[in-house]
Amino acid sequence: MYLDKDIKEINELLKAKKIKPIDLVEEAFSNIENNEELNSYITLNKEEALKCALELEAKEVDNILFGLPIAIKDNIVTKGLKTTCASHILDNFIPIYDATVVEKIRKKNMIIIGKTNMDEFAMGSSSRTSYFGAPKNPWNKEKIAGGSSGGSAATIAAGDLKFALGTDTGGSIRQPASYCGIVGMKPTYGRVSRYGLVAFASSLDQIGPMTRNVYDNALLLNVIAGYDDKDLTSSKREVPDFTALIGTQLGKIKVAVPNYFMSDIVSSEIKEQVEEIIDLLRKNGAVVDFIDVKYLDKAVTLYQIIAMGEASSNLARFDGIRYGYSKEAKDINDLYYGTRSVFGDEVKRRIMIGSYLLSGDNAKVYYNKALSIRDDMKKEFQKVFDNYDYIIGPTTTTTAYNLDEKDDPLKSFMDDVLVIPVNMAGLPALNIPIGFSKEKMPIGLQIIGNAFEEAKIYQLGSFIEKELSSRGEDDD
Amino acid sequence: MMTNYIPTIGIEVHVELKTKTKIFSNSINGYGQMANCLTNVVDLGYPGTLPTLNEEVINLALRACLVLNCKIRREMHFDRKNYFYPDNPKNYQITQSRTPIGTDGYVEIEVDGVKKKIEILEMHIEEDTCKSTHRGEKSYLDFNRAGVPLIEIVTKPCISSPLEAKLYLEKLKELLFYSDISDCKMEEGSMRADANISLRKKKSDPFGTKCEIKNIGSISNVYLSLEKEIIRQSKLLDEGKTFKEQTRRFDSKLNDTVLMRVKETGNDYRYFPEPDIPFVCISDEMIEEARQSIPMLPDERKKLYLSKGLSEINATKLIQNRPLSDYFNELLKVDTNYKVASNILLGDISFYLNRTEKSIYDTTLTVERFKELIAFIDDKTLTSKNLKDILDKVLEEDVAIADIIKELGIENITDDEALRKVIKDIIASNLEIKKEYLEGHSRAIKFFMGQVMKQTQGKANPKMAMDILEEELNK
């Protein structure tokens, strides 16, 4: 099984022509077929992927990701390959252009295997709002994979392939990564171009890599990061080699743990494992302080106002006139009504709440006020980073729950209570798996860094990853 | 027009900016192309697309701020105006609500010899919608216009007559056109006007109920529709009737305004700051660059022309023809007879340009060649008839003027002595006719002129020949 091998080893094998890209592609599809019941994918790109793999045989192995299969979340547009956003309204939509990240991936000669399942328009935290049914957690198929990037998390956790892209508006990469026990990075807002990402909440959305380990994650971020003149919110900052600090000395780092992150909202078995990590860090010379960070408990409310307000506007374009599902209608109102009725309940709910929040004086009372508190929250985080290198804590309050559990739409936001503050502040954050619950479900640690310090996050992430794996070997 | 009421009028003008590309995408900003040829995924609001910001738009909007004397907002953002309509591809329009680029400006007009400032409340930047056409049961959408940059210029309710409205629009159009901000072609929709009007009895009364006349297709129709609206509203008020705030349009066939819809209260556009476009900071350099790029404006041109000895009428006529005026400004940089130049430009050359549907810049008449031409006219080598004969060649061929004159053999004899000798000889051999001349027969002088022209093969300068003839005959 080549795809289980280390990325450097695969690269050597490809270079030595001991294996071909098609071997990797075929292996990925065979894995996906074996794991079909996980429902990780909405669309598979088999024919094209095989063709692409054969074409690569004539090319030189020019980079470490050459020939490697990758899965793309289905809200990132792919030219000629159906992009549904897990919605009935786009279930036959074939984009005529590539997202900037997809262009970059193609340039590196990676091979797009398929489009992964997700919550409809990324609205949800269990991927159960998908028009195509929820993906399942590979660790226990009765349980959710998390969301909204549930399909990407599931396919990586199942070992189908090594690389996937997710998107994170309010924790949608880190939370499923935590539930499925994989590595997922939400980069700094502006680090990765959003061009071609079907917008949910424009001021929060960010694309990021989902992988089995920290090193692979940094490699994929190397590919997708950077300024894009098609996205005015993308940053012109120089893009470093995100793998550069991996394996280097941590030094005497200072780590903050917000008390809120270790409060009663978090299950005790998760807290215990996070405390073990804190001990590990202290043993290695780190200073770890428990601190109060203002506004953390307000983040979900702010998120709901900002995200739903923006979503109500972003989703207005799906009107059946130019693309996507269109209801046969006798007049324009009938067309709007008939077409937009096919949105799922969660999407409709968010559009309605968002429209309400922006209506008349509400915009001042809610949206503008939320934006201003968000600024305060950014400043609050900044204060922490004036004194600390990292903020850490659990990624989620519980482990993945059952597919038929917790259907209350308001409560489901609480799944993301620890990940949402990061989106509010526009900061980068990584989930790494740190252990398992008694139920044998993965537990994740969230490492938050200062803006544009992804490389530093990877440094700490890989350190913990290495410590835990050597400990795992000792346990054996 | 008789009315017992005082009208209060405010005008909103949408002007399409003359940029190369659209405001939020790199599609060409053009008119009159095949439907949906000038569009891309951004203009069509495809999922995942994002707006970029065309810097040329900011430059032109800043120019507009400067020529309209507006205060310039130094930090501005865009807002989304949310409403569903098929001509609105994203179902929101990117516009400016909270931070318009310009505020508190004015345009100065002259009403019956008295100067008045029409105050501008604000000016903001936005994108145009697509164009919809309805035929029978079907509607057709042309997205070529979607995303064309617009500025919207809103006056305060400070216009007090249809005449003022007309003068304001004419002045506004002239300013924007001369600043190279817009084509201002109302017939092509690159300038569109909406007028709000209400009536009241006395200045001290509160404003009356206002009616909006939407999308008026020409300045003269703005004038007409406001007059009609004053008559209509006056009649209602005289009868003691009240009416609701409403939107009307001007029907040029009916020559009257027609009700479109009664205004519903609280049109809710759910404005919020556009998250896809960061705040724009307007620097001193950007303003200076905009200032430098403003061509000379009409008032300044007129002053200049009058100071160079042009007649009032020629100065005004030149300004009405922008390319000729620009060309003339070039000419002012060389030393020549500007008065003669303006006569020729507005006379024979304009006639030629109209006939051939050309611009002065399509001809071969460089400023240097024009100067040469004027010199030949100035020293009387060329008569106005000669000029007509050679004009096509002058404008179409890149040959020295002197060579054209030689080639056509119309070189006038301007040598005083040579001509005098010819004339003396003619008189000497026609003494009978000289006698007739002295007796006052008018045909005698015509005979002598004919002889002079015959002898010189038409090359004699007629005025000079006439002068010498009379001198010699009266000796």
Side-chain angles (χ1 to χ4, degrees), chain A residues 77 93 96-97 194-198 202 229-233 310 313-314 316-319 321-323 332 336 340 355 358-360 367-368, chain B residues 41-42 44-53 80 82 84-86 88-92 98 141 143 268 270-273 275-278:
Chain A
V77 302
F93 176 63
I96 55 173
Y97 75 102
R194 292 185 295 117
Y195 190 76
L197 161 60
V198 181
S202 317
D229 59 12
K230 295 195 190 90
D231 175 7
L232 294 173
T233 65
E310 291 179 10
S313 173
N314 283 331
R317 67 186 63 197
F318 303 103
D319 57 12
I321 293 178
R322 284 144 295 130
Y323 43 76
I332 188 67
Y336 288 149
R340 292 172 64 79
S355 302
L358 292 174
S359 291
Y367 187 80
N368 296 346
Chain B
V41 285
V42 178
L44 290 166
Y46 262 61
T49 57
L50 295 170
T52 51
L53 181 58
R80 288 189 187 176
N82 294 283
F84 278 87
Y85 205 69
N88 187 10
K90 301 179 291 293
N91 288 314
Y92 60 80
R98 247 173 289 173
L141 299 169
F143 289 84
D268 188 353
R270 290 175 281 125
Y271 284 105
F272 72 100
D276 290 329
I277 306 175

Side-chain angles (χ1 to χ4, degrees), chain B residues 414-438:
Chain B
T414 52
D415 181 342
D416 192 87
E417 286 316 305
L419 194 56
R420 195 175 292 273
K421 188 176 178 303
V422 172
I423 287 170
K424 273 181 172 169
D425 288 351
I426 292 169
I427 294 174
S429 40
N430 293 286
L431 291 172
E432 276 304 301
I433 300 178
K434 181 182 175 184
K435 209 176 135 199
E436 278 179 31
Y437 169 81
L438 293 171

Side-chain angles (χ1 to χ4, degrees), chain B residues 173-185:
Chain B
K173 185 175 169 178
E174 190 181 76
L175 282 170
L176 298 175
F177 179 70
Y178 261 92
S179 323
D180 284 335
I181 291 168
S182 173
D183 289 336
C184 295
K185 289 183 183 162

Side-chain angles (χ1 to χ4, degrees), chain A residues 214-337:
Chain A
V214 173
Y215 184 73
D216 289 356
N217 204 282
L219 284 179
L220 187 51
L221 187 58
N222 276 348
V223 175
I224 62 173
Y227 173 71
D228 177 13
D229 59 12
K230 295 195 190 90
D231 175 7
L232 294 173
T233 65
S234 70
S235 170
K236 285 187 174 161
R237 281 222 192 197
E238 207 187 318
V239 178
D241 173 4
F242 293 109
T243 65
L245 300 178
I246 290 175
T248 61
Q249 274 293 319
L250 264 187
K252 202 171 154 45
I253 56 165
K254 287 187 79 183
V255 179
V257 181
N259 288 315
Y260 183 70
F261 282 6
M262 296 296 271
S263 65
D264 291 345
I265 55 171
V266 182
S267 79
S268 52
E269 58 179 346
I270 291 179
K271 276 195 277 191
E272 279 162 28
Q273 301 229 7
V274 172
E275 269 156 15
E276 277 181 37
I277 299 293
I278 292 168
D279 288 343
L280 169 75
L281 293 177
R282 281 181 173 148
K283 260 182 228 153
N284 281 278
V287 174
V288 183
D289 292 337
F290 286 80
I291 60 162
D292 280 321
V293 180
K294 264 199 276 181
Y295 305 115
L296 286 181
D297 55 331
K298 302 284 186 289
V300 171
T301 311
L302 294 183
Y303 171 78
Q304 286 171 335
I305 295 169
I306 293 168
M308 291 192 204
E310 291 179 10
S312 70
S313 173
N314 283 331
L315 269 64
R317 67 186 63 197
F318 303 103
D319 57 12
I321 293 178
R322 284 144 295 130
Y323 43 76
Y325 174 82
S326 183
K327 180 85 198 298
E328 191 82 26
K330 59 182 192 302
D331 61 31
I332 188 67
N333 285 329
D334 203 32
L335 174 71
Y336 288 149
Y337 185 80

